[in-house]
Amino acid sequence: MKNIAVIGAGYWGKNLVRNFHELGVLKTVCDGAATCRQAMQAAYPGVQVTDDFDTILNDPEIKAVVIAAPAALHFALAQKALLADKDVFVEKPLSLTRGDAEKLVRLAAQRKRILFVGHILQYHPAVVRLKELINQGTIGRLQYIYSRRLSLGKIRREENILWSFAPHDISIILALAGEEPSFVDSVGNNFLHARIPDVTMTNLKFPSGIGAHIFVSWLNPFKEQKLVIVGSEGMLVFDDTVPIECKLVHYPHAIHWQDGQPVPQKGEQIAIALQDIWEEPLKAECRAFLSVIETRTPPLTSGEEGLRVLQVLEQSQHSLEQKEKGGEKIGTESFSSEGKKVSVPIFPDDVFIHPTAIIDDNVKIGRGTKIWHFCHILSGSKIGANCNIGQNCVIGPDVVIGNKCKIQNNVSIYKGVTLEDGVFCGPSMVFTNICNPRAEISKMDQVRPTLVKKGATLGANCTIVCGHTIGQYAFIGAGAVVTKDVPDHALMVGNPARPIGQVCECGGRLNDKLICMECKRPLDIAS
């Protein structure tokens, strides 16, 4: 039965489309790019193609969705699909924050839906056999795991190399170790972009004594995908870039002690046969998803497994960021390479800061706040809890932003501006802080304060001239230019902005009797 929809048919999504189509279950493909939709229509004439995700959610014949959109969209798309009672396959990573991943896991459990994460190596025939050999004791007690994932391929800007390449290897290492790491440390280098690591090395240590290293890079002259497993009685090497007959090799090497000295003893390498179980790894993963949605059994790469991988990614990312700021975090303090204590910002675990964002010292950020691509938060600024700061925003220095504020893309909030709780700043709206600026004359001693009170909305491309107060729940229309104080609940439009009515807390217009035409509450209650 054709009951699967794939969301995103680009770089990797087109491979999922192909496999689910070959398995005879693909009904719909959804993608926002017209060129991509045209390519899908040409390649799969019998498949529905759309750019509207809601049509998929409202289609009762579609039982499951496969999400291969950019990583920044994974949480929102998966959440909507689960709320629509669809089973969900999400490509790695499950989300960009552990907090969002936890929400998806809880939601899937509440709705009794399958949440499946695309950690493809778990379904690779060579890895399946590798696990069997380890469980049979072929290489003795597990001691050390080393992975290399290198290429000169697609270089991303929405995520760094750690988040792009390492999830697969972290997933396998956690599965082989069978426990959570007690120590996570990462080092990296940025060559193509000042804030996006291109090369990272992650060191993991486990309570049982197992150690692991993960080396990832997209600045390698050739593709390399290799996993080395070292045991007390031998070694296994999985190389995914070689022919099938060489992909998995057993090296019966061992270390023996003679007169108190370790002496290596080498054996003849043994290629492990895979032909009897061989299948394209992605097809095996797709089959596994179809199987679990049919049997309602927990998947090998469940939401919980994705959450464990995400936790290691966040710990690795935090380690990278601490080193970029000149110190290594130890407990709640940091130390420079000379052993001196240094001050570095430490934020709550559920704060999300995109790798391309720059956060200066002496910045405070509340719980649950998200700061997206290419933002710069300057020293002395304070941002409240559960705020959302869109792409390419500049905040500070010494700016105060309340709780639950939403700052859309391309907004600069300069010194002198204060936002109370629940303020909405539309895309590309403008604050000023000096009335008569000159490029050649510093006038920072003439900054005029601007206060935006609780719940106010500042529409797209509007301008707020400095030295004024925007009242509670006021609504500044798109493109308006505010040149004087704005009363509470006022609806302002034009240049210069003029009042044309009043609005409720919910954003609806008030009628002549000051009753909201949307929520039907009178202004004195709404206030």
Side-chain angles (χ1 to χ4, degrees), residues 47-157:
V47 173
Q48 297 176 1
V49 177
T50 181
D51 62 352
D52 185 4
F53 185 45
D54 287 338
T55 63
I56 289 172
L57 299 182
N58 295 327
D59 186 343
E61 293 185 2
I62 292 177
K63 303 303 181 184
V65 299
V66 178
I67 298 171
L73 301 177
H74 285 186
F75 169 71
L77 293 173
Q79 184 182 51
K80 289 185 70 173
L82 290 169
L83 288 170
D85 288 325
K86 309 293 186 186
D87 293 322
V88 177
F89 176 138
V90 186
E91 265 304 330
K92 58 83 186 168
L94 176 56
S95 73
L96 291 179
T97 71
R98 186 172 59 192
D100 282 347
E102 289 172 344
K103 291 176 185 176
L104 293 178
V105 170
R106 286 196 301 269
L107 182 59
Q110 291 166 2
R111 311 291 289 200
K112 294 182 171 54
R113 295 292 98 195
I114 296 294
L115 180 58
F116 183 106
V117 184
H119 292 150
I120 188 173
L121 281 186
Q122 295 278 12
Y123 305 95
H124 195 297
V127 173
V128 172
R129 183 133 294 171
L130 181 149
K131 289 180 182 179
E132 292 173 352
L133 293 171
I134 292 173
N135 291 336
Q136 293 165 6
T138 302
I139 60 172
R141 180 175 57 84
L142 196 60
Q143 295 176 325
Y144 173 59
I145 307 168
Y146 174 47
S147 71
R148 295 167 61 91
R149 187 169 296 271
L150 320 171
S151 77
L152 188 64
K154 183 176 175 61
I155 299 174
R156 300 179 184 274
R157 279 294 165 261

Side-chain angles (χ1 to χ4, degrees), residues 206 208 246 267 295 303 323 434 457 459 483:
F206 294 86
S208 64
C246 306
T295 62
K323 290 181 178 65
I434 295 172
T457 292
T483 58

